[in-house]
Amino acid sequence: MDSPEESQQTQERLIGDLRLVIENAEELLKNTDQYTSVLYQEARAKLALALNAATNELAAFEEAQLTRMIQTNNAENEVNADLSGEARILRAFD
């Protein structure tokens, strides 16, 4: 089983890969706009739907990741009794 650190790295890699796929799909849509045949337009419509779903999924992943980071940071602040804002900020980047 993956350690929490390996799991986090895997999630970050997947998020990065999803961002890249979204960027490439957006570029493909932009570069194929001039093609007006029915086949191209149907393919572009399917790609646009998939792109929308992927963008929504990415937003959900990023929100979940941010929530986990905040929860972890808050737990560390409590364990280490970080009372000052400076100590909390330094711990967040540690």
Side-chain angles (χ1 to χ4, degrees):
M1 186 166 181
D2 289 345
S3 70
E5 186 173 309
E6 289 173 335
S7 178
Q8 181 67 25
Q9 289 173 346
T10 300
Q11 289 176 356
E12 289 174 7
R13 240 187 345 267
L14 288 172
I15 288 172
D17 290 347
L18 185 53
R19 281 188 189 125
L20 184 59
V21 167
I22 289 170
E23 289 173 17
N24 289 338
E26 288 172 341
E27 191 68 22
L28 183 61
L29 280 175
K30 186 170 44 171
N31 290 332
T32 58
D33 192 38
Q34 72 273 16
Y35 300 108
T36 58
S37 76
V38 172
L39 288 176
Y40 272 107
Q41 292 305 316
E42 287 176 357
R44 290 182 83 252
K46 288 179 185 177
L47 181 57
L49 285 173
L51 179 58
N52 186 41
T55 302
N56 290 338
E57 194 68 26
L58 177 59
F61 284 152
E62 290 175 327
E63 183 67 30
Q65 185 180 35
L66 181 59
T67 299
R68 282 192 305 275
M69 289 171 55
I70 290 170
Q71 289 170 343
T72 300
N73 189 48
N74 288 342
E76 286 293 320
N77 288 338
E78 287 181 26
V79 167
N80 293 289
D82 292 334
L83 301 177
S84 74
E86 180 181 8
R88 290 177 181 190
I89 290 172
L90 291 174
R91 180 158 314 283
F93 291 100
D94 191 18

